[in-house]
Each structure stands twice: as structure tokens, then as C-alpha cells.
Amino acid sequence: MEPQRERAGRHLKKGRKRRRGPNMLVGAAEAMRARWELEESQPEAKKARLSTILFAENCEVTHEQLCELLKYAVLGNSNVSKPSWCQLFHQNQLNNVVVFVLQGMSQLHFYRFYMEFGFLRKAFTHKFRLPPPSSNFLADIIGLQKKQTTGDLSKMVEGSLPSSSSKVSISLQNDPIIQKYGSKKVGLTRCLLTKEEMKTFHFPLQGFPDCENFVPTKCHGSITDNSPLFGLNCEMCLTSKGRELTRISLVAEGGCCVMDELVKPDNKVLDYLTSFSGITKKILNPVTTKLKDVQRQLKALLPPDAVLVGHSLGLDLRALKMIHPYVIDTSLLYVREQGRRFKLKFLAKAILGKDIQCPDRLGHDATEDARTTLELARYFLKYGPKKIAELNLEALASHQELLAAGQGPRNTAEVVQQSNTSVLECLDLMGQKLLFLTREAETSELSSSRNCQTIKCLTNKEVLEQARVEIPLFPFSIVQFSFEPFSYKLTEEMNKRMRSKWTEMSTVYAGPFSKNCNLRAVKRLFKSFGPVRSMSLVLETHQPHLCIQYEVLEAAQLAIESLDGILVESTCIKVQRPVTELTLDSSTLVKELEQDSENRGTIYLSGVNQTFKEHLLQQSNIFLGLEAVILPKDLKSGKQKKYCFLKFKTFGSAQRALNILKGKDWKLKGRHALTPRHLHAWLRGIPPESRRTPGVRVIPPPSEQQALQVLKVDHPKIAAWRWGRKIGKLYHSLSPGTLCLILLPGTKSTHGSFSGLGLMGIKDEEESTTPKICS
């Protein structure tokens, strides 16, 4: 039965298309992975980005799987296996990883206060469900083992070093490092060069004749063992006036590069020293930055108690024409016999087990060298002189065969292949630290870890303020905000009412119908808009009405938009939702759901058959920008349902496809999507007893009524609005290429548990254009 009112729409005629091979319809997941791996190898893609579709059938991502992604984000494909549930393209283009944890909130909070979470729902394309949290959520997602002892990390790093049982044995007491520093661990201040040492090794010093025009860094704060370290490395060229600066790199203690500038020399360049610096005339031609610019920038960046770390650092400071009083020179820290010095490349391999200054690369990487000196200083402070002496560096230097690839230190890949490797250990292997910002009241195993810089604050506001300052200095940050959770009783009541709200929004009343109406045809008409959970005849009214409860919100909305006001056997019918306090804002909510980033570019289609996928693939070249096909299945029978979702790269591509698929050649019904995929999985689990009859009024418990009237600062409703906006502002300040995760861990108590929710995205990420199939 068709409505008598003519519905306008575009009907584009389908042309004859080249048929694709049938192998595209077999092994969709395997084919999808193969295409992704092929795309990963393409050189033209320059931005890190995430796949459109998650592999998880129920869209639930375990804490272990989340840890997989975080480790891969740190180390990349060469050292750790790819995450099993999603795809991260071009990991090496990631600049930072930032994880925001909203402790005390769950998936229920997100959808209960959906309107308040405006920024989060619009900014993050990828959303997934999290299982209820354990007693230590952060330790789970970072991969810290419960049985891990405080010495485990030390043993892990020790395992990457050369064996101390060298054929050439020496007395530790005669080792120059022991003779200078003793055998016990030393603090940072003990590693600083004295003024006499700086004079001996020709560091620039104030008042010296050859340093008259040098600029002091103005760092004259009180130095302690907790003062911040900054790795510094400079590249130079040869000019008519001698060596001049061409590049400067500064790395903060967390491992994050805070300054990397090319510099135009003031005088004529005679030799670019490309084999060492990697700098060429072509590279420097467009550069306008001068020495005075980087001097000014460096002075602004360094705190009063900053300690500069470098290898032959005096040469770098002279190239900068700057004076700094607090320095650690790794070429002097790792003391060698007879005043000789170990090369940075040798120390990196022997101490850290890493290769730098590779011969197949043009010149040195200034940032890599700066980071390496920082790692060497941290290693010395962590393990002490005795550990260094036991390595017998002098013997290793005279036995180059021990440095060959097959006999050298165990590489990073061998370490991280262990299943119990944590994100902290991965960061340590990269010479980086994790930043953890939290409130003082919160306890976590993470805060006591050695490779974690923990900053505890009194309030959420203070956590936010610290995050603005500290996040740029660290490659990996976890920022935890803490909110007072609802009581279990109130949460359970909210859960039931939230699910009732979605049920009511997916329900429509239609009528009136004439008593002689062909009800079978009417029911068939309403079923054409999507899967029906139940359909009943309402006889309490003067004329019959129908109550139709759909499985998906899109079907109900499509029925309202298509049938409200049409003539059915000469009777004008009205199609509407039940009017209750839970559906009063349904029109506004539908508009906001359409703007949800996960729904933008996604269309819902009803009336698809078993051959739809084959037909779609045959005609895929007319559906430009198609990224994914989502074909839901019946949970009991496993059969494909008669509706689907198509995801496109842009809203415009989705709109064009919708016009084609609703045309006379395809004869499908459809509209833009309203519900994200993970939400379908959640709503499918609604127990029958939690579904109430549409139209029954639900009165909020007195405790929630009071709470909503008071609107305390940390009440989840106001917190959702306030902190969603604050996190949004912080997100906008992050550098492009930052992988950002927002985690609502869920709640768990003796009374029960509620699932969490994850939101994920890369700032300014480049979306994929590769079609993907997901059943």
C-alpha cells in the first residue's frame, strides 16, 4: 500500500557499470585489513589518522585492547603489534598522546546529559563502549601488571644493555667514573659542571674576553636534584666568520621537542657541512629566523632553574652565543681514561641499545641527538656510577665486534614483544616520560611508577590549569578529573529511565484509520521504514489507531517524516511520538543527534535485501566517498536484517547517495543516521522489564530533583556542560597530530556496575577514503 500524496525526490538513472570480481564479497574483514595495510605503505599520506570502523562486533573495547592502541601510538609498527580492534594510519606522524579521564562518569552519564556534552559529541568521530572498570582503571589501560614489583622496570632496561661479563675485566675502583663520582648513586647537582670545569673545557662564561657579546639565559634560580632537564643540540655551518648556527633543537625532560628551528647565518656560508648537519642551501634559502630570534625564544622557554644537557655542550652554547650556568655534558659525565671522550653514537648504542646518526641518513638529526643526551643523563641518575662502570665501556669501545647488529644490545622490538609490557616501559625505551595530572584525593598505582611525572592538585580547576602548562612538554599525558558519582540506586533509576526514553522516541502512534481500512496493508507500510519490535491496535479511541515500536530510532523518525499528514483511504492520519516528559525535547534531540560527529556522513536505509551488498559493490563508483557498509544481523538467527547504514567521507557525499538510493532504480527508504553504532549495541541489551508502556509518566526520585535544583559544581549535569567546554578549549590548544582520548571509565560497586564510554580522535586528522565493509 502506498500513500496517496506524491513525495518529491530526485531519481537518478543508473548506468551500466563494470562488474567487480566476486572475491570482494568474500572475507570482508581480511580484505579490509589488506587494503588498510596497502594504504599504510603509500608515501603520499602525511597525516596520522584513525580508521572509520572499529572491528569489535559489539563496539566494546576492553582495557587490554585500549592498552594495545596506546603502546602502538608510542612505538609504532616496527616495534609492537598493531591494535586488533582499530587501525591507526601513519603513527610516525603523531605528535602527542593525551588521555582525559572523567572519573566517576559512565556511558549512562554521556547519554543522560547528551545535550550538555556539546563539544565532545561533535568533535570526536570515534566512540566505543568500555567494560565496567576494575579497582585500578588507569593501571589496566596502561598495562601495569598487578604483580609487578618496583624493580621490574629496572630489570627491563638492564636487559637491553650489553653484558657486563666481558672478556676484558677491570677493577671497578680504577674506573674513571668511580674515581670521580664514587660507587653510590648521585643526584642531579653532583652531575653539574663546576665553574672551574666549564672554564677548563672552554664553555662560554660571563666576564671572559671572548664572550663579550654573548647573551645570558637569565637562569639564576636555586638548583636542586628536582630541577628540570632540557636536552640541547645545535648544528652548524662554516661561514666567512667561522662556525655559525643553522639549527637548534630543545627537548624537555618528558621527551617532547619544545623547540626545533632552522637559523639563517649572518655571514656568507662557505660550507654547509651537510654530511654532519643535514643542512643544504635549498633548506636554508626560505628561512628568515636569525640568531637573535632563537636567543630570545630560548630565554623565554627556559625556567629559572633549568639544567641544559648536551654532548660537547660548550660548542653548542658558543654557536648560540649564549651563557648558561647549569649544564651537564654527557661527553664528560661518562668519563673516559686519559681525557678522551666517548662519541654520542657509541654511548647511545652501548647504554641505551639504540642506533642514531645512521649512515644511510643525510646528516644528524638534531632532535634525536638532543633527546639521546637527555636519556643518557637520566640513565646515569637512575642507575648510578657503579652500574656504568660494570658495563666496561672502555672494553666495549675497543671491541667493535660487540657493537655489530647481531651481537649488540637487545633491541627495542625484543623487549616490547613481551605480552606484559606496559606503556610506561615503552616510553622508557624511547627515553620519554609519562605525565599524570590528578587530584590529591585519588590514588593510583600509576602515580608511584618511576617513569611517570605525577602532579597532584587540590581541585579539578587546578588540574586543568596545570594541564595547559605541562601537556606541551610531554609526548604522553594522562589528565584525570574526578567527579562525585551518583548513588547506585539513583544510577539504576536513571538507567531505566534513559532506556525508556529511547524506547519512547522509537515509538509512534498513527491514526485515525477508518474502520474498514486494510490494516494488513497499513502494517506493511509501517514495516517498510525499518525493523518493528511490536505493533498493536489501539481501540480506546473513537477510530482505530496503531502503536508501532521500532527497533531503531531512524525508522521511527522516517515514519513520522514520511507519513504524517498523508491520506490513507481518504482519511488524513497523524503520525507522532507519545507525548511524555521523556519525549518533550525529542525534536531538539533529533537535530542534535544528526550533528553528532559519528552520524555526520552516515545514512540509514530500509528495505535492503540479501543481494544489496553485491549490488552496491557493483555500483560503488557512483557512490563517491563511500567508506563503510554496516549490515546488522539478527542476534539469534545470524541472518542479515533488512536495514543498513552507509558511512561516507562527507555529508555532501552521503546526501547525494541518499538521493540515488531513494530513487526509482533502488526504491529504498532512508534518511541521515541518528544513533552511533555503539549505542545500538547498548540499546539491544534492554531487559524487557525495564521497558515501560509509552505514555506512562515517570517521576524522578526526590534525591535527583533536589540535586538538579542545587546544581552543585561537581554534579554530573553541570559538570558535563562546564567541563565539556573546558576540555574543548584545552583540546583546541593541542598541537595538530595529537591523538586524544576521552574516557568515561564507568562505575562499579557491590550493588552493580555500569559500562564506560570512550571517545577518540586525532586533532586535524585526515579522513580515509577507502571503502570498508562491516557486517
Side-chain angles (χ1 to χ4, degrees), residues 282-323:
K282 183 178 180 181
I283 292 174
L284 276 190
N285 269 344
V287 175
T288 57
T289 304
K290 305 292 282 187
L291 178 62
K292 62 181 180 180
D293 298 320
V294 297
Q295 289 174 337
R296 185 166 51 248
Q297 190 176 348
L298 193 60
K299 285 176 66 175
L301 277 173
L302 294 177
D305 60 340
V307 175
L308 291 179
V309 182
H311 199 79
S312 298
L313 186 59
L315 297 176
D316 295 324
L317 288 173
R318 286 190 174 274
L320 280 166
K321 293 188 177 181
M322 296 189 77
I323 297 171

Side-chain angles (χ1 to χ4, degrees), residues 159 241 253 326 338 424 461 480 542 615 628 646 767:
K241 295 291 184 179
E253 191 167 358
Y326 313 124
Q338 300 174 352
L424 280 172
K461 183 179 179 181
Q480 179 171 264
H542 175 65
H615 194 187
L646 303 184
E767 294 292 345

Side-chain angles (χ1 to χ4, degrees), residues 114 119-127 592-602 647 676 759-760 767:
Y114 182 81
F119 167 76
L120 300 186
R121 57 185 164 83
K122 292 179 180 179
F124 292 90
T125 306
H126 312 278
K127 302 181 182 73
E592 292 298 325
L593 284 167
E594 287 180 330
Q595 297 302 314
D596 190 297
S597 61
E598 195 167 351
N599 296 330
R600 294 281 295 174
T602 303
K647 187 170 183 61
L759 301 93
M760 178 172 65
E767 294 292 345

